[in-house]
Amino acid sequence: MSSRKYIVTWVALMAMMLVLASCGNGKRSMERLVAQLAGDGTVDAADWKQLVAAVEANRDDYAQLYEDGKLQPKALEAYVSDVMANRRPPREVKFTGREQAPLVFRIYRERSGSMTPYDSPQGDGSYAAAITALRNRLPGKTVVEEIGDQGYTDFGAIFDQILNKTGEREVSVLVTDMIYSVRGMQDVNPQRVFADMQGMITSVFKEQVAHKCVLLVQMEASYDGPYYCYDGSVRTVHGRRPYYIIMVGSREAITRIATEDNYRAFADFKTLKGYRQMYLYDTGKLYEPYYSILLSGPEVSGRFVPERGQSECITSVQDVKADRDGKVKLAVAVDMRGMLVDERYLTDVTNYKVVADDPVRIERVRPITDKDLSASGRKYAKEATHLMVLSMERVSHKQQVGILLQNRLPGWVAKSSSDDDRTVDGSTTFGLRYLMEGIYDAYHRMAKDDMAYFEIALKLDK
């Protein structure tokens, strides 16, 4: 189809959908179904199946959504988006459950000799168990390939190969100890090595960060065998050592991994044997969570009423007045399911940024419980996983409050990094921070504004 014909068809489709959304009892019923399923801002796999079934049962009414007798997913998406855009208040919709071509996975195991002791017969088998679990949690057959050189580890070459080989619907998984080593390194000052590796990794990633996400998962396993220090000396280690699972994929693929039923078990890294923590690199706003202000509950104080026109999702309140203690506390239910972000990061209030005219403070972010929800409050919380408690003394005028979960390199990266590995321990990786900071620099340079996993917006009026 030519681009001109596509534009004409699209305009015609949009016009027909506007008519469709405004007439007929059957069509109004369909609109109500759309509002019910997409009211939380997300259409997941179960929602999508219901929408498809409803359209298929009334094909004659929705002929414009078909082409050659087949329902066109993009056309149905556009119809749903249009219905929600014309509601009060309007709401954007994210589609996470539409049937799509399956993702292709490749698992790479770094070939260097320093990886062998993780799989020693004298170990506890936790490394092999984690890798086997990764493979078993994926649909279809997945092959583990070797990558790199046995005598040294050039991450510039390894990441360049993986980044360029990973297509739009592909995910690459690298298993590595993340210890950078090149020929002749033992004769060079370590600080020079760190500077070189940081610049190298930034250069490798700079062309790819606009389109790809990188997930770093820190693991640990038993290690039994030789350890090669940066100066060329060798130590024998019997204990536990960190290693890493690094996942690379497009923004769409990474989102699908954590939200689609076929991949959700694979994305549950915290249940792998030896899991420590994780960090997701992204240029910004990868997630669009559902959120709503709760009208009552043990964390709520002060007086306010929802702005008119809101039904099951409250994001705008007015007549905000402080309680007798001079405080206003708002409890915001947020659905953080499907985020490849460590729970400790999600609940650390220092990782959030508040943008408001009046001083607004986040007191805490924690998992939501049944005690937080009254019978009437459940319809606002829907399937929210966390409660965000905001505190303020007053609202001086009508304003928007933006809350961002910032994407910052977590403190555990520096704590897990060593500048000298001649004394081997079980918690650090030689030069880790320099590689991780190099990747972060590439993402930070590409970001157009504050790097954040998500932003929610509330409207407050006195």
Side-chain angles (χ1 to χ4, degrees):
M1 181 183 293
S2 70
S3 60
R4 182 178 178 181
K5 184 177 180 182
Y6 176 83
I7 292 171
V8 172
T9 302
W10 180 253
V11 171
L13 174 61
M14 293 300 292
M16 283 188 288
M17 285 191 295
L18 287 173
V19 174
L20 175 66
S22 62
C23 64
N25 291 332
K27 307 224 170 76
R28 284 197 290 271
S29 296
M30 184 64 178
E31 288 182 18
R32 287 195 293 269
L33 177 63
V34 169
Q36 175 187 344
L37 298 177
D40 61 355
T42 301
V43 173
D44 60 19
D47 298 333
W48 183 260
K49 288 179 181 178
Q50 291 188 58
L51 289 169
V52 170
V55 172
E56 291 282 11
N58 300 276
R59 291 174 67 108
D60 292 343
D61 292 332
Y62 302 102
Q64 77 281 357
L65 303 182
Y66 288 80
E67 185 175 313
D68 297 329
K70 294 183 179 180
L71 178 63
Q72 299 301 300
K74 285 292 185 183
L76 180 54
E77 280 189 12
Y79 169 69
V80 172
S81 296
D82 184 70
V83 170
M84 297 306 295
N86 283 282
R87 289 184 64 81
R88 293 291 178 267
R91 184 157 187 83
E92 293 184 3
V93 182
K94 187 174 184 179
F95 297 86
T96 64
R98 179 169 64 84
E99 290 185 13
Q100 301 180 71
L103 297 172
V104 176
F105 288 81
R106 294 186 180 89
I107 298 179
Y108 298 93
R109 182 180 181 274
E110 189 208 327
R111 186 181 279 117
S112 69
S114 60
M115 292 298 296
T116 304
Y118 287 105
D119 205 16
S120 169
Q122 287 73 42
D124 64 4
S126 55
Y127 171 80
I131 305 307
T132 300
L134 277 180
R135 297 179 63 180
N136 291 343
R137 292 178 180 185
L138 287 171
K141 183 178 179 181
T142 305
V143 178
V144 178
E145 304 177 25
E146 300 287 320
I147 193 170
D149 190 278
Q150 190 169 7
Y152 63 96
T153 305
D154 184 350
F155 281 115
I158 289 175
F159 279 116
D160 186 60
Q161 178 180 341
I162 290 176
L163 286 167
N164 286 290
K165 197 174 181 179
T166 305
E168 185 69 20
R169 291 186 175 86
E170 297 177 336
V171 176
S172 296
V173 181
L174 172 65
V175 182
T176 173
D177 61 3
M178 283 303 290
I179 298 178
Y180 178 78
S181 61
V182 294
R183 292 187 177 96
M185 193 174 77
Q186 62 270 23
D187 300 322
V188 181
N189 185 307
Q191 295 302 319
R192 173 64 182 273
V193 174
F194 300 149
D196 289 346
M197 75 166 74
Q198 187 167 348
M200 170 274 299
I201 207 72
T202 299
S203 177
V204 169
F205 274 84
K206 69 178 181 180
E207 301 297 332
Q208 298 283 346
V209 296
H211 313 290
K212 288 187 172 68
C213 298
V214 175
L215 179 71
L216 172 71
V217 182
Q218 186 183 54
M219 305 285 292
E220 69 171 8
S222 59
Y223 187 102
D224 194 283
Y227 176 90
Y228 303 91
C229 306
Y230 82 88
D231 64 352
S233 60
V234 182
R235 306 283 189 272
T236 300
V237 176
H238 304 282
R240 301 189 70 77
R241 290 277 305 147
Y243 72 98
Y244 302 85
I245 297 172
I246 300 175
M247 187 166 68
V248 177
S250 67
R251 302 184 90 222
E252 177 187 359
I254 296 301
T255 301
R256 290 180 61 187
I257 282 172
T259 56
E260 293 185 13
D261 291 340
N262 284 344
Y263 312 118
R264 196 169 289 138
F266 170 79
D268 192 10
F269 295 104
K270 64 180 179 296
T271 61
L272 291 175
K273 189 173 184 179
Y275 172 84
R276 280 188 178 179
Q277 47 226 339
M278 64 182 173
Y279 170 64
L280 178 65
Y281 292 91
D282 178 64
T283 52
K285 313 294 175 39
L286 180 65
Y287 300 117
E288 298 175 7
Y290 170 84
Y291 60 95
S292 176
I293 297 172
L294 301 181
L295 301 182
S296 61
E299 297 276 20
V300 178
S301 67
R303 291 174 293 160
F304 55 88
V305 295
E307 187 177 295
R308 295 182 65 181
Q310 301 174 101
S311 55
E312 296 183 356
C313 178
I314 308 300
T315 60
S316 180
V317 294
Q318 58 191 13
D319 298 331
V320 181
K321 301 290 187 296
D323 217 336
R324 291 181 178 179
D325 62 358
K327 296 286 186 182
V328 177
K329 287 187 180 180
L330 299 180
V332 183
V334 186
D335 186 358
M336 298 188 189
R337 289 175 302 159
M339 294 186 186
L340 294 173
V341 181
D342 194 273
E343 177 68 15
R344 287 161 289 189
Y345 194 96
L346 291 175
T347 55
D348 184 347
V349 297
T350 64
N351 291 325
Y352 291 82
K353 178 181 178 180
V354 180
V355 180
D357 295 341
D358 292 322
V360 177
R361 183 171 67 92
I362 300 179
E363 286 198 352
R364 54 190 154 273
V365 179
R366 60 171 176 80
I368 201 167
T369 69
D370 289 339
K371 294 180 180 179
D372 296 315
L373 304 174
S374 63
S376 61
R378 296 183 188 280
K379 71 175 182 179
Y380 303 116
K382 294 189 181 292
E383 297 183 330
T385 58
H386 289 73
L387 195 73
M388 184 181 297
V389 181
L390 308 180
S391 175
M392 64 207 78
E393 294 183 357
R394 70 185 189 284
V395 174
S396 62
H397 61 275
K398 188 174 184 178
Q399 60 189 276
Q400 178 166 297
V401 176
I403 302 171
L404 298 89
L405 175 58
Q406 299 176 99
N407 184 336
R408 303 187 299 186
L409 203 60
W412 67 259
V413 171
K415 292 179 181 177
S416 300
S417 184
S418 169
D419 287 4
D420 187 343
D421 63 349
R422 288 173 295 183
T423 301
V424 187
D425 62 44
S427 60
T428 61
T429 299
F430 179 70
L432 177 70
R433 64 178 299 177
Y434 303 99
L435 285 172
M436 297 302 98
E437 287 173 357
I439 299 174
Y440 185 86
D441 286 346
Y443 277 88
H444 191 264
R445 292 176 187 179
M446 180 60 65
K448 296 179 180 179
D449 48 23
D450 289 335
M451 283 175 57
Y453 291 118
F454 67 76
E455 179 177 10
I456 65 177
L458 308 174
K459 293 182 179 178
L460 311 180
D461 196 3
K462 67 174 185 176

